[in-house]
Amino acid sequence: MMLEPDKRSYCFGVADKLEAERDLTDDEFSAVLLCDEPGFDEYLSEKARAIREKYYGKAVYLRGLIEFTNYCKNNCYYCGIRRGNANAERYRLSEEQIISCCDMGYDLGFRTFVLQGGEDPYYTDDKVVSIVKAIKEGHPDCAVTLSIGEREKDSYQKFFDAGADRYLLRHETADKEHYEMLHPSELSFDHRMQCLRDLKEIGYQVGCGMMVGSPYQKTEHLVKDLRFLQGFKPEMVGIGPFIPHHDTQFADCEAGTVDMTLRLLSMIRLLLPDVLLPATTALGTIDPRGREKGILAGANVVMPNLSPSDVRGKYLLYDNKICTGDEAAECIRCMAMRISSVGYETVVSRGDHAAFGME
Ligand code: SAH
């Protein structure tokens, strides 16, 4: 007869196995996700910190986030800028405005610019190409990251040829049925996954990721997410808690928790030791020290906002978003202080994934 394993030593043992083997069975992943033993989070995050320090020391990489449009042709049920939200006050930045954000960001020490937006057909392939080229011409020592949703492979190829280095496209959930509960039927799980494979094939450093605690999410979905990350091997993984937006059908749903987000950050660090892992704005929104806690759980990237201050309050994916009132210079000062308060250091660097050297 099998003896019921002592729960406490079982959980800690599974954490040791994750560290040593970078792999677990589905049941073991669930056990780590569900473990409520005192001291377990600290045990897991100590291991995650040790690994991140082995690869990246105390460095925290900065990405300057430019939210350049909040027009969106999609209607994701969770998102405050979905097309069906008539209350969203829409804006777009011109190429000149985007370039001047980058110029200012460069002077502040940013060497990566992330252009994020809704899926806005106004920015045709040619416009995106022109923007990417202009940034790379002005700042050849910088990396450009795009985060503009799903396009076809030839468009992704054009952006890459224009100089874009990285692409962020969260997979949102690795379970097709769950995906369909979060998106209208015109959006397809298979197409999103195809986009991720296309991006990788083209040669981008690719970021994917999921929301933590999104509506209908179960432990088994998170296990699938981890399994997907393990197989896909993205260069970056962006995760953050789901936070309800008052003008969506998920307005009354519960937000994801800090603790589950931190636990997943540590697990992802152990699973993909040299991955780039941001402590996200959403994490900083549900907890005033969320980003610092994220760094202590194994994250090594932060993405301060570089958008012009007059549009910041309009890029509202969820309620109570932080840093909507600050100037960029203020944001970076604040961020550097937060990071050093937990013993880490923001650095001026492109912060490429270890497998991609600077050319
Ligand atoms: N249109 C781009 C960028 C989307 S915004 C794209 O489709 O990739 C970036 C991320 O914000 C999304 O991928 C999603 O994971 C997250 N997000 C959107 N709404 C959110 C909410 N209510 N709470 C937390 N995160 C949210």
Side-chain angles (χ1 to χ4, degrees):
M1 201 181 81
M2 276 265 293
L3 288 172
E4 182 72 9
D6 170 60
K7 209 174 98 197
R8 186 173 172 81
S9 63
Y10 175 72
C11 285
F12 285 73
V14 171
D16 294 340
K17 179 178 169 192
L18 178 57
E19 178 188 38
E21 299 181 19
R22 298 177 192 174
D23 191 20
L24 293 178
T25 66
D26 286 3
D27 286 346
E28 289 167 337
F29 272 136
S30 298
V32 175
L33 289 167
L34 295 172
C35 178
D36 56 6
E37 293 297 319
F40 184 69
D41 282 308
E42 192 44 39
Y43 190 70
L44 203 62
S45 69
E46 263 170 31
K47 291 180 186 299
R49 280 202 297 277
I51 290 224
R52 79 83 88 197
E53 283 177 28
K54 180 171 155 210
Y55 284 88
Y56 294 102
K58 296 279 189 183
V60 173
Y61 299 122
L62 293 165
R63 314 309 196 196
L65 186 62
I66 303 170
E67 299 157 334
F68 69 98
T69 174
N70 72 351
Y71 282 86
C72 193
K73 67 179 167 70
N74 291 340
N75 219 8
C76 308
Y77 297 151
Y78 44 84
C79 183
I81 65 167
R82 64 190 229 288
R83 69 160 189 269
N85 181 10
N87 295 328
E89 215 185 302
R90 306 287 170 172
Y91 73 92
R92 292 187 174 109
L93 300 185
S94 66
E95 178 168 329
E96 292 67 39
Q97 284 176 300
I98 296 172
I99 301 301
S100 78
C101 284
C102 295
D103 292 344
M104 181 194 50
Y106 191 88
D107 293 339
L108 291 171
F110 289 96
R111 294 297 176 267
T112 293
F113 302 109
V114 182
L115 269 50
Q116 188 177 88
E119 290 202 16
D120 181 358
Y122 169 86
Y123 297 90
T124 57
D125 288 358
D126 288 347
K127 282 205 178 78
V128 175
V129 162
S130 163
I131 292 167
V132 170
K133 278 192 174 154
I135 298 174
K136 295 293 281 197
E137 265 161 35
H139 306 289
D141 54 335
C142 290
V144 171
T145 304
L146 295 175
S147 179
I148 56 175
E150 297 176 39
R151 297 222 180 177
E152 293 311 306
K153 191 174 183 186
D154 62 322
S155 307
Y156 288 152
Q157 183 71 56
K158 284 184 207 162
F159 308 154
F160 187 76
D161 295 341
D165 305 87
R166 309 180 185 144
Y167 205 103
L168 303 185
L169 184 75
R170 289 192 179 175
H171 65 285
E172 311 297 1
T173 168
D175 182 88
K176 190 175 166 122
E177 263 174 51
H178 185 218
Y179 191 91
E180 288 167 359
M181 296 167 117
L182 302 177
H183 302 93
S185 58
E186 76 238 25
L187 289 171
S188 118
F189 173 77
D190 294 333
H191 189 259
R192 200 157 182 95
M193 287 297 185
Q194 186 57 48
C195 286
L196 283 167
R197 287 190 293 270
D198 289 344
L199 289 162
K200 206 159 204 200
E201 226 174 82
I202 290 168
Y204 284 96
Q205 297 182 48
V206 179
C208 57
M210 63 281 184
M211 287 180 289
V212 179
S214 60
Y216 313 112
Q217 186 178 64
K218 298 193 168 58
T219 303
E220 68 206 56
H221 298 140
L222 289 171
V223 171
K224 269 195 169 178
D225 286 321
L226 292 165
R227 196 62 76 202
F228 167 70
L229 296 176
Q230 188 183 32
F232 185 68
K233 298 191 178 56
E235 280 71 33
M236 173 163 159
V237 178
I239 67 165
F242 159 75
I243 305 173
H245 184 287
H246 61 279
D247 281 324
T248 63
Q249 67 191 68
F250 294 149
D252 296 325
C253 294
E254 285 201 18
T257 65
V258 185
D259 288 348
M260 187 50 87
T261 308
L262 297 175
R263 187 168 296 188
L264 278 158
L265 284 171
S266 295
M267 291 176 79
I268 294 166
R269 171 61 65 208
L270 292 172
L271 201 58
L272 303 169
D274 57 0
V275 80
L276 294 161
L277 199 55
T280 56
T281 308
L283 183 55
T285 295
I286 57 164
D287 182 318
R289 286 179 57 83
R291 287 166 301 177
E292 293 89 318
K293 291 177 183 173
I295 296 299
L296 290 173
N300 65 337
V301 172
V302 287
M303 303 172 71
N305 201 316
L306 272 183
S307 312
S309 22
D310 57 319
V311 303
R312 283 198 194 184
K314 299 180 185 164
Y315 195 81
L316 298 177
L317 310 178
Y318 46 80
D319 289 339
N320 306 315
K321 187 180 171 203
I322 51 168
C323 310
T324 51
D326 305 334
E327 294 289 339
E330 184 49 38
C331 264
I332 183 144
R333 250 198 307 277
C334 161
M335 188 63 82
M337 236 170 56
R338 286 171 181 275
I339 300 304
S340 71
S341 79
V342 288
Y344 289 78
E345 190 191 1
T346 52
V347 295
V348 176
S349 155
R350 277 171 50 123
D352 283 281
H353 185 269
F356 286 72
M358 257 198 76
E359 57 270 49

